[in-house]
Amino acid sequence: MGKAKMKLFIFLVVLGVLSVILISKQKHYFAATEVYIAGNRYEGTLSARTISLDSHNTPISMKSITPIGNSSHFAVSAFIDHRLENTIRVISIIKRNSLQPLYCLYCNNDHACKFTEAKIDLHTDHFGFPFGASDVLCEGIHTQTVTHVAISADHISDINKLNFLPVKNRVNNETFKYNFTICISNLFGDYNNVLQFTQTMEMYKLLGVQRVVIYNTSCGSDLQKLLHHYEKEGILEIVPWPIDQFLNPSAGWNITLHKGDLHYYGQLVTLNECIYRQMYQSKYVLLNDIDEIIMPYKHANLAFLMEALQQEHKHVTVFLIENHIFPKTQFEESGKFQRAEWKNIPGINIMEHIHREPDRKNVYNPTKMIINPRNIMQTSVHTSLKHTGQVYRVPFNVCRIIHVRTPLQGSLTKEQLFVDTRVWDFEQELIANVDRALHLSGLLKSQE
Ligand SMILES: *[C@@H]1O[C@H](CO)[C@@H](O)[C@H](O)[C@H]1NC(C)=O
Ligand SMILES: *[C@@H]1O[C@H](CO)[C@@H](O)[C@H](O)[C@H]1NC(C)=O
Ligand SMILES: *[C@@H]1O[C@H](CO)[C@@H](O)[C@H](O)[C@H]1NC(C)=O
Ligand SMILES: *[C@@H]1O[C@H](CO)[C@@H](O)[C@H](O)[C@H]1NC(C)=O
Ligand SMILES: *[C@@H]1O[C@H](CO)[C@@H](O)[C@H](O)[C@H]1NC(C)=O
């Protein structure tokens, strides 16, 4: 062996020894794992293991609720989170007292898959219910090209038994299809408040809303026709939400009053899902209920309102809007909106309820929100849980929620309420559009 060759040999031996030492020191980063593919056991490391998959073996679930095998948990939807580096966020429903390690198997179109341990980020708002909204975060390399992901409760799993979800928001596209989208969390029971639903939808449209996303567990038969109409028209996106097939959802937020596994039919889950669903579709997202109208009082529509607000408050990403109650038990006196056409339409006629409850001493009016979805990480119902940017409580005289419902201050007489006829400003167009929608839904027969 020549002198030079000898030096090289020694160098390589030293390098080899050093590598072994280094790798063994880092070993705790790479906990060993095994995956089965088509019945074959596959061993690897948690971080950088690439697996080739046959496309026939990976049916992708299009369901909105997917049980995580061998656990009590559920996966809902998966999104690339462009605000974080190399992260897939899987909106999930986690049984809070049964936390356990979860794993991600994420794949791209070439069916190269990677296996990694997930981070579980339980949302702080769960109202004490056993199950809560959560993010399951899959962090790893090359997540940008991922097309589908499965969450597993076992670090040894049979790939054929995993349910893959499609990964959405793959392109960070800021040319929005819509300026204003409303996320309505849940329809359930035999909700059949057709007239208020129609009036509210038509009001939203006049205010400049281009998209309404609604999560449907169940609804009444007349409302069903209306939903089909709006879906056909293109404004309404109906997301199936069969939560009652998996859990016993509560019909409220107070667990002592409304027992169940999960707060209000999973409202916290659907609101978060909706924000991610709309992140690159809509400039702003409104989070409110179907019986609530976020109403500008100084501007003709939401576009003018938000232009003004955003100009004044450049760094605000969460706008809080105060809720105000218009009791359905108080009617305006003239009776001019008791139209014959609406006599047989079930539900509340919001045009007749123009009396607003006053603020109460020591009671904070709850808020709903207009948000920039790209700044929100996690939301609750009345406030955001995690976001970037500032929060602004919009003054009541600029914008407030018209919420026609059972009174909160039922003992007040009409004289003790404020007259607030803002919806009447839209009277002409609103009535014509409501009639049209009812006709097209088959709920209002022609006069002839
Ligand atoms: C659940 O666990 C069993 C036994 O450990 C295993 O055979 C099965 O593949 C697991 N199911 C899933 C969906 O991973
Ligand atoms: C971005 O969105 C716009 C409008 O929806 C669409 O026309 C365009 O093709 C999209 N661009 C990419 C790169 O997806
Ligand atoms: C959104 O608003 C911008 C101006 O603010 C307007 O140019 C655009 O047409 C609007 N988009 C839709 C879908 O209405
Ligand atoms: C709403 O969900 C119920 C229950 O799954 C279903 O029967 C109904 O067709 C759904 N309605 C719409 C409009 O999707
Ligand atoms: C929930 O309901 C119970 C029973 O009516 C009541 O005692 C409790 O104060 C309520 N909780 C809250 C936070 O309002």
Side-chain angles (χ1 to χ4, degrees):
M1 217 179 268
K3 222 177 179 181
K5 274 192 177 166
M6 189 66 182
K7 269 190 184 164
L8 182 63
F9 177 73
I10 291 169
F11 173 74
L12 287 176
V13 168
V14 170
L15 193 70
V17 169
L18 279 177
S19 311
V20 167
I21 291 170
L22 254 175
I23 287 171
S24 62
K25 282 210 162 172
Q26 302 295 318
K27 207 172 169 179
H28 61 280
Y29 291 130
F30 305 121
T33 188
E34 299 153 301
V35 170
Y36 287 82
I37 299 171
N40 300 314
R41 177 192 256 210
Y42 205 103
E43 288 184 58
T45 56
L46 272 185
S47 67
R49 172 56 60 196
T50 300
I51 301 159
S52 273
L53 264 190
D54 181 344
S55 60
H56 302 298
N57 286 335
T58 56
I60 295 177
S61 164
M62 290 300 162
K63 300 223 158 75
S64 36
I65 301 170
T66 304
I68 298 172
N70 289 342
S71 84
S72 308
H73 316 300
F74 302 89
V76 174
S77 293
F79 303 91
I80 303 262
D81 193 325
H82 296 279
R83 288 95 39 105
L84 306 172
E85 239 176 288
N86 294 324
T87 300
I88 305 158
R89 184 185 299 266
V90 184
I91 309 275
S92 304
I93 302 170
I94 296 287
K95 189 170 188 193
R96 297 188 298 119
N97 70 0
S98 307
L99 286 180
Q100 65 194 105
L102 293 176
Y103 303 89
C104 310
L105 186 63
Y106 60 90
C107 312
N108 66 27
N109 259 339
D110 305 328
H111 302 288
C113 300
K114 289 184 168 51
F115 201 67
T116 178
E117 185 167 349
K119 253 193 210 165
I120 301 171
D121 187 358
L122 264 176
H123 293 203
T124 51
D125 253 9
H126 44 67
F127 293 82
F129 287 93
F131 286 79
S134 181
D135 296 313
V136 171
L137 301 167
C138 305
E139 296 172 347
I141 48 170
H142 304 314
T143 52
Q144 308 91 318
T145 57
V146 164
T147 52
H148 48 294
V149 63
I151 304 298
S152 165
D154 306 279
H155 83 288
I156 301 174
S157 40
D158 184 341
I159 214 161
N160 298 305
K161 290 192 184 151
L162 294 176
N163 293 310
F164 282 88
L165 309 180
V167 174
K168 297 181 254 190
N169 289 357
R170 295 177 56 219
V171 181
N172 171 357
N173 184 352
E174 302 216 353
T175 37
F176 308 116
K177 233 157 119 183
Y178 316 113
N179 285 326
F180 296 100
T181 294
I182 299 189
C183 292
I184 305 283
S185 46
N186 299 94
L187 276 183
F188 59 86
D190 51 3
Y191 189 78
N192 205 36
N193 187 352
V194 173
L195 190 52
Q196 185 169 13
F197 192 107
T198 317
Q199 290 174 333
T200 306
M201 285 292 287
E202 295 304 330
M203 195 70 240
Y204 292 156
K205 282 158 69 179
L206 292 176
L207 292 174
V209 170
Q210 292 114 4
R211 189 79 165 161
V212 177
V213 182
I214 206 159
Y215 292 76
N216 170 36
T217 303
S218 60
C219 67
S221 58
D222 299 304
L223 195 67
Q224 174 84 355
K225 293 180 188 161
L226 194 67
L227 292 177
H228 283 308
H229 158 68
Y230 282 121
E231 192 177 36
K232 207 167 90 195
E233 190 181 84
I235 187 174
L236 186 63
E237 180 175 347
I238 302 171
V239 182
W241 188 248
I243 187 69
D244 52 350
Q245 290 176 19
F246 299 96
L247 292 172
N248 171 29
S250 169
W253 58 270
N254 183 335
I255 191 165
T256 30
L257 288 178
H258 298 99
K259 300 212 179 330
D261 295 324
L262 180 66
H263 163 262
Y264 206 59
Y265 279 83
Q267 181 183 32
L268 295 164
V269 184
T270 55
L271 286 180
N272 281 279
E273 207 272 350
C274 193
I275 290 175
Y276 284 87
R277 180 181 286 262
Q278 288 300 321
M279 195 163 278
Y280 301 105
Q281 303 276 314
S282 193
K283 188 170 178 196
Y284 292 106
V285 169
L286 285 66
L287 304 176
N288 57 262
D289 288 339
I290 190 60
D291 56 357
E292 298 169 335
I293 298 169
I294 291 186
M295 176 64 85
Y297 274 73
K298 292 198 163 167
H299 302 90
N301 56 39
L302 290 166
F304 289 128
L305 168 74
M306 290 316 291
E307 198 184 313
L309 285 179
Q310 201 74 79
Q311 204 146 44
E312 229 182 296
H313 309 278
K314 291 210 163 43
H315 303 293
V316 171
T317 55
V318 178
F319 296 89
L320 302 179
I321 314 291
E322 274 183 23
N323 190 27
H324 287 269
I325 307 297
F326 291 63
K328 67 176 184 183
T329 47
Q330 301 286 2
F331 292 79
E332 67 89 21
E333 319 261 86
S334 80
K336 63 178 170 171
F337 294 108
Q338 291 175 3
R339 302 177 62 248
E341 293 87 337
W342 295 347
K343 224 182 94 200
N344 295 317
I345 306 294
I348 298 170
N349 177 1
I350 65 168
M351 312 285 290
E352 291 189 278
H353 306 291
I354 43 107
H355 292 88
R356 170 165 50 81
E357 288 187 354
D359 288 345
R360 284 169 289 178
K361 249 194 201 131
N362 310 321
V363 177
Y364 205 61
N365 288 324
T367 55
K368 293 293 173 77
M369 292 177 274
I370 301 178
I371 56 162
N372 177 341
R374 291 158 302 285
N375 288 89
I376 308 293
M377 281 73 193
Q378 294 178 355
T379 194
S380 183
V381 181
H382 305 291
T383 51
S384 156
L385 295 177
K386 280 190 188 171
H387 61 267
T388 54
Q390 295 169 0
V391 178
Y392 177 63
R393 194 178 174 102
V394 179
F396 147 95
N397 61 341
V398 174
C399 181
R400 59 181 176 258
I401 294 174
I402 298 177
H403 190 178
V404 179
R405 52 158 288 164
T406 47
L408 289 184
Q409 304 175 62
S411 60
L412 296 186
T413 63
K414 198 180 267 184
E415 291 65 39
Q416 290 170 297
L417 305 177
F418 294 101
V419 172
D420 182 337
T421 58
R422 177 63 170 139
V423 289
W424 288 4
D425 296 348
F426 301 85
E427 169 181 344
Q428 251 186 335
E429 264 186 295
L430 189 62
I431 290 176
N433 294 353
V434 167
D435 282 354
R436 192 176 159 272
L438 291 172
H439 269 297
L440 291 171
S441 311
L443 293 164
L444 195 58
K445 305 288 176 270
S446 289
Q447 297 309 296
E448 284 79 41

PDB file of all heavy atoms in Angstrom, residues 289-309:
ATOM      1  N   ASP A 289     -74.380  32.417  12.644  1.00  0.00           N
ATOM      2  CA  ASP A 289     -75.412  31.387  12.472  1.00  0.00           C
ATOM      3  C   ASP A 289     -76.423  31.823  11.423  1.00  0.00           C
ATOM      4  O   ASP A 289     -76.462  32.982  11.033  1.00  0.00           O
ATOM      5  CB  ASP A 289     -76.129  31.131  13.806  1.00  0.00           C
ATOM      6  CG  ASP A 289     -75.235  30.376  14.779  1.00  0.00           C
ATOM      7  OD1 ASP A 289     -74.277  29.731  14.320  1.00  0.00           O
ATOM      8  OD2 ASP A 289     -75.503  30.454  15.988  1.00  0.00           O
ATOM      9  N   ILE A 290     -77.271  30.884  11.026  1.00  0.00           N
ATOM     10  CA  ILE A 290     -78.217  31.162   9.948  1.00  0.00           C
ATOM     11  C   ILE A 290     -79.309  32.141  10.396  1.00  0.00           C
ATOM     12  O   ILE A 290     -79.952  32.773   9.571  1.00  0.00           O
ATOM     13  CB  ILE A 290     -78.819  29.861   9.371  1.00  0.00           C
ATOM     14  CG1 ILE A 290     -79.603  30.135   8.089  1.00  0.00           C
ATOM     15  CG2 ILE A 290     -79.680  29.133  10.388  1.00  0.00           C
ATOM     16  CD1 ILE A 290     -78.810  30.752   6.961  1.00  0.00           C
ATOM     17  N   ASP A 291     -79.530  32.285  11.710  1.00  0.00           N
ATOM     18  CA  ASP A 291     -80.534  33.265  12.151  1.00  0.00           C
ATOM     19  C   ASP A 291     -79.888  34.612  12.508  1.00  0.00           C
ATOM     20  O   ASP A 291     -80.516  35.452  13.139  1.00  0.00           O
ATOM     21  CB  ASP A 291     -81.348  32.709  13.325  1.00  0.00           C
ATOM     22  CG  ASP A 291     -80.484  32.274  14.492  1.00  0.00           C
ATOM     23  OD1 ASP A 291     -79.243  32.349  14.382  1.00  0.00           O
ATOM     24  OD2 ASP A 291     -81.046  31.843  15.517  1.00  0.00           O
ATOM     25  N   GLU A 292     -78.655  34.810  12.079  1.00  0.00           N
ATOM     26  CA  GLU A 292     -77.947  36.063  12.379  1.00  0.00           C
ATOM     27  C   GLU A 292     -77.510  36.751  11.085  1.00  0.00           C
ATOM     28  O   GLU A 292     -77.000  36.095  10.176  1.00  0.00           O
ATOM     29  CB  GLU A 292     -76.699  35.774  13.224  1.00  0.00           C
ATOM     30  CG  GLU A 292     -77.026  35.156  14.574  1.00  0.00           C
ATOM     31  CD  GLU A 292     -75.795  34.622  15.298  1.00  0.00           C
ATOM     32  OE1 GLU A 292     -74.797  34.280  14.632  1.00  0.00           O
ATOM     33  OE2 GLU A 292     -75.833  34.537  16.522  1.00  0.00           O
ATOM     34  N   ILE A 293     -77.731  38.053  11.041  1.00  0.00           N
ATOM     35  CA  ILE A 293     -77.272  38.826   9.882  1.00  0.00           C
ATOM     36  C   ILE A 293     -76.252  39.856  10.363  1.00  0.00           C
ATOM     37  O   ILE A 293     -76.574  40.694  11.211  1.00  0.00           O
ATOM     38  CB  ILE A 293     -78.448  39.540   9.191  1.00  0.00           C
ATOM     39  CG1 ILE A 293     -79.460  38.511   8.671  1.00  0.00           C
ATOM     40  CG2 ILE A 293     -77.941  40.425   8.053  1.00  0.00           C
ATOM     41  CD1 ILE A 293     -80.772  39.121   8.209  1.00  0.00           C
ATOM     42  N   ILE A 294     -75.045  39.776   9.861  1.00  0.00           N
ATOM     43  CA  ILE A 294     -74.026  40.791  10.164  1.00  0.00           C
ATOM     44  C   ILE A 294     -74.329  41.982   9.269  1.00  0.00           C
ATOM     45  O   ILE A 294     -74.139  41.929   8.058  1.00  0.00           O
ATOM     46  CB  ILE A 294     -72.608  40.233   9.938  1.00  0.00           C
ATOM     47  CG1 ILE A 294     -72.307  39.168  11.001  1.00  0.00           C
ATOM     48  CG2 ILE A 294     -71.567  41.363   9.985  1.00  0.00           C
ATOM     49  CD1 ILE A 294     -70.892  38.621  10.995  1.00  0.00           C
ATOM     50  N   MET A 295     -74.863  43.048   9.888  1.00  0.00           N
ATOM     51  CA  MET A 295     -75.459  44.138   9.106  1.00  0.00           C
ATOM     52  C   MET A 295     -74.672  45.443   9.253  1.00  0.00           C
ATOM     53  O   MET A 295     -74.559  45.977  10.348  1.00  0.00           O
ATOM     54  CB  MET A 295     -76.898  44.349   9.596  1.00  0.00           C
ATOM     55  CG  MET A 295     -77.615  45.511   8.938  1.00  0.00           C
ATOM     56  SD  MET A 295     -77.852  45.263   7.169  1.00  0.00           S
ATOM     57  CE  MET A 295     -79.378  44.319   7.191  1.00  0.00           C
ATOM     58  N   PRO A 296     -74.158  45.964   8.132  1.00  0.00           N
ATOM     59  CA  PRO A 296     -73.538  47.292   8.177  1.00  0.00           C
ATOM     60  C   PRO A 296     -74.642  48.340   8.366  1.00  0.00           C
ATOM     61  O   PRO A 296     -75.680  48.265   7.716  1.00  0.00           O
ATOM     62  CB  PRO A 296     -72.898  47.443   6.792  1.00  0.00           C
ATOM     63  CG  PRO A 296     -73.016  46.113   6.130  1.00  0.00           C
ATOM     64  CD  PRO A 296     -74.131  45.377   6.782  1.00  0.00           C
ATOM     65  N   TYR A 297     -74.415  49.281   9.282  1.00  0.00           N
ATOM     66  CA  TYR A 297     -75.410  50.338   9.516  1.00  0.00           C
ATOM     67  C   TYR A 297     -75.002  51.663   8.893  1.00  0.00           C
ATOM     68  O   TYR A 297     -75.814  52.572   8.775  1.00  0.00           O
ATOM     69  CB  TYR A 297     -75.689  50.493  11.026  1.00  0.00           C
ATOM     70  CG  TYR A 297     -76.761  49.526  11.512  1.00  0.00           C
ATOM     71  CD1 TYR A 297     -76.492  48.170  11.653  1.00  0.00           C
ATOM     72  CD2 TYR A 297     -78.057  49.969  11.787  1.00  0.00           C
ATOM     73  CE1 TYR A 297     -77.475  47.278  12.073  1.00  0.00           C
ATOM     74  CE2 TYR A 297     -79.048  49.085  12.210  1.00  0.00           C
ATOM     75  CZ  TYR A 297     -78.748  47.751  12.353  1.00  0.00           C
ATOM     76  OH  TYR A 297     -79.730  46.867  12.759  1.00  0.00           O
ATOM     77  N   LYS A 298     -73.739  51.798   8.493  1.00  0.00           N
ATOM     78  CA  LYS A 298     -73.298  53.061   7.892  1.00  0.00           C
ATOM     79  C   LYS A 298     -72.864  52.891   6.444  1.00  0.00           C
ATOM     80  O   LYS A 298     -72.531  53.862   5.782  1.00  0.00           O
ATOM     81  CB  LYS A 298     -72.129  53.636   8.697  1.00  0.00           C
ATOM     82  CG  LYS A 298     -72.541  54.087  10.078  1.00  0.00           C
ATOM     83  CD  LYS A 298     -71.542  55.018  10.702  1.00  0.00           C
ATOM     84  CE  LYS A 298     -72.186  55.747  11.857  1.00  0.00           C
ATOM     85  NZ  LYS A 298     -71.182  56.423  12.683  1.00  0.00           N
ATOM     86  N   HIS A 299     -72.810  51.672   5.990  1.00  0.00           N
ATOM     87  CA  HIS A 299     -72.380  51.390   4.622  1.00  0.00           C
ATOM     88  C   HIS A 299     -73.455  50.560   3.933  1.00  0.00           C
ATOM     89  O   HIS A 299     -74.209  49.848   4.581  1.00  0.00           O
ATOM     90  CB  HIS A 299     -71.050  50.641   4.634  1.00  0.00           C
ATOM     91  CG  HIS A 299     -69.953  51.386   5.332  1.00  0.00           C
ATOM     92  ND1 HIS A 299     -69.715  51.243   6.679  1.00  0.00           N
ATOM     93  CD2 HIS A 299     -69.064  52.304   4.891  1.00  0.00           C
ATOM     94  CE1 HIS A 299     -68.712  52.024   7.038  1.00  0.00           C
ATOM     95  NE2 HIS A 299     -68.296  52.686   5.967  1.00  0.00           N
ATOM     96  N   ALA A 300     -73.461  50.661   2.592  1.00  0.00           N
ATOM     97  CA  ALA A 300     -74.510  49.999   1.830  1.00  0.00           C
ATOM     98  C   ALA A 300     -74.342  48.494   1.816  1.00  0.00           C
ATOM     99  O   ALA A 300     -75.318  47.755   1.656  1.00  0.00           O
ATOM    100  CB  ALA A 300     -74.527  50.532   0.403  1.00  0.00           C
ATOM    101  N   ASN A 301     -73.107  48.029   1.960  1.00  0.00           N
ATOM    102  CA  ASN A 301     -72.879  46.586   1.908  1.00  0.00           C
ATOM    103  C   ASN A 301     -71.566  46.237   2.612  1.00  0.00           C
ATOM    104  O   ASN A 301     -70.867  47.118   3.126  1.00  0.00           O
ATOM    105  CB  ASN A 301     -72.865  46.102   0.444  1.00  0.00           C
ATOM    106  CG  ASN A 301     -71.824  46.851  -0.379  1.00  0.00           C
ATOM    107  OD1 ASN A 301     -70.727  47.139   0.104  1.00  0.00           O
ATOM    108  ND2 ASN A 301     -72.173  47.189  -1.616  1.00  0.00           N
ATOM    109  N   LEU A 302     -71.252  44.946   2.619  1.00  0.00           N
ATOM    110  CA  LEU A 302     -70.064  44.479   3.339  1.00  0.00           C
ATOM    111  C   LEU A 302     -68.770  44.964   2.688  1.00  0.00           C
ATOM    112  O   LEU A 302     -67.784  45.218   3.379  1.00  0.00           O
ATOM    113  CB  LEU A 302     -70.076  42.945   3.414  1.00  0.00           C
ATOM    114  CG  LEU A 302     -71.150  42.338   4.325  1.00  0.00           C
ATOM    115  CD1 LEU A 302     -71.295  40.836   4.062  1.00  0.00           C
ATOM    116  CD2 LEU A 302     -70.805  42.585   5.800  1.00  0.00           C
ATOM    117  N   ALA A 303     -68.777  45.104   1.365  1.00  0.00           N
ATOM    118  CA  ALA A 303     -67.555  45.547   0.676  1.00  0.00           C
ATOM    119  C   ALA A 303     -67.160  46.949   1.119  1.00  0.00           C
ATOM    120  O   ALA A 303     -65.994  47.205   1.450  1.00  0.00           O
ATOM    121  CB  ALA A 303     -67.768  45.488  -0.840  1.00  0.00           C
ATOM    122  N   PHE A 304     -68.142  47.875   1.154  1.00  0.00           N
ATOM    123  CA  PHE A 304     -67.845  49.248   1.597  1.00  0.00           C
ATOM    124  C   PHE A 304     -67.458  49.266   3.080  1.00  0.00           C
ATOM    125  O   PHE A 304     -66.560  50.000   3.482  1.00  0.00           O
ATOM    126  CB  PHE A 304     -69.045  50.169   1.342  1.00  0.00           C
ATOM    127  CG  PHE A 304     -69.265  50.453  -0.122  1.00  0.00           C
ATOM    128  CD1 PHE A 304     -70.518  50.256  -0.702  1.00  0.00           C
ATOM    129  CD2 PHE A 304     -68.227  50.928  -0.923  1.00  0.00           C
ATOM    130  CE1 PHE A 304     -70.723  50.516  -2.051  1.00  0.00           C
ATOM    131  CE2 PHE A 304     -68.427  51.188  -2.278  1.00  0.00           C
ATOM    132  CZ  PHE A 304     -69.680  50.978  -2.841  1.00  0.00           C
ATOM    133  N   LEU A 305     -68.149  48.446   3.863  1.00  0.00           N
ATOM    134  CA  LEU A 305     -67.836  48.374   5.294  1.00  0.00           C
ATOM    135  C   LEU A 305     -66.383  47.942   5.510  1.00  0.00           C
ATOM    136  O   LEU A 305     -65.628  48.591   6.234  1.00  0.00           O
ATOM    137  CB  LEU A 305     -68.774  47.380   5.991  1.00  0.00           C
ATOM    138  CG  LEU A 305     -68.372  46.997   7.432  1.00  0.00           C
ATOM    139  CD1 LEU A 305     -68.668  48.138   8.398  1.00  0.00           C
ATOM    140  CD2 LEU A 305     -69.081  45.725   7.892  1.00  0.00           C
ATOM    141  N   MET A 306     -65.997  46.853   4.848  1.00  0.00           N
ATOM    142  CA  MET A 306     -64.666  46.299   5.102  1.00  0.00           C
ATOM    143  C   MET A 306     -63.572  47.173   4.510  1.00  0.00           C
ATOM    144  O   MET A 306     -62.471  47.244   5.054  1.00  0.00           O
ATOM    145  CB  MET A 306     -64.579  44.862   4.565  1.00  0.00           C
ATOM    146  CG  MET A 306     -65.391  43.863   5.357  1.00  0.00           C
ATOM    147  SD  MET A 306     -65.250  44.037   7.157  1.00  0.00           S
ATOM    148  CE  MET A 306     -63.550  43.520   7.415  1.00  0.00           C
ATOM    149  N   GLU A 307     -63.882  47.832   3.396  1.00  0.00           N
ATOM    150  CA  GLU A 307     -62.910  48.754   2.820  1.00  0.00           C
ATOM    151  C   GLU A 307     -62.599  49.859   3.833  1.00  0.00           C
ATOM    152  O   GLU A 307     -61.439  50.188   4.083  1.00  0.00           O
ATOM    153  CB  GLU A 307     -63.489  49.332   1.526  1.00  0.00           C
ATOM    154  CG  GLU A 307     -62.462  49.955   0.616  1.00  0.00           C
ATOM    155  CD  GLU A 307     -63.131  50.602  -0.600  1.00  0.00           C
ATOM    156  OE1 GLU A 307     -63.994  49.938  -1.213  1.00  0.00           O
ATOM    157  OE2 GLU A 307     -62.800  51.759  -0.892  1.00  0.00           O
ATOM    158  N   ALA A 308     -63.662  50.409   4.434  1.00  0.00           N
ATOM    159  CA  ALA A 308     -63.484  51.489   5.411  1.00  0.00           C
ATOM    160  C   ALA A 308     -62.769  50.983   6.664  1.00  0.00           C
ATOM    161  O   ALA A 308     -61.824  51.602   7.148  1.00  0.00           O
ATOM    162  CB  ALA A 308     -64.846  52.083   5.772  1.00  0.00           C
ATOM    163  N   LEU A 309     -63.217  49.850   7.174  1.00  0.00           N
ATOM    164  CA  LEU A 309     -62.620  49.326   8.411  1.00  0.00           C
ATOM    165  C   LEU A 309     -61.151  48.971   8.205  1.00  0.00           C
ATOM    166  O   LEU A 309     -60.294  49.272   9.034  1.00  0.00           O
ATOM    167  CB  LEU A 309     -63.375  48.079   8.885  1.00  0.00           C
ATOM    168  CG  LEU A 309     -64.740  48.286   9.532  1.00  0.00           C
ATOM    169  CD1 LEU A 309     -65.353  46.936   9.912  1.00  0.00           C
ATOM    170  CD2 LEU A 309     -64.630  49.173  10.767  1.00  0.00           C
TER     171      LEU A 309
END
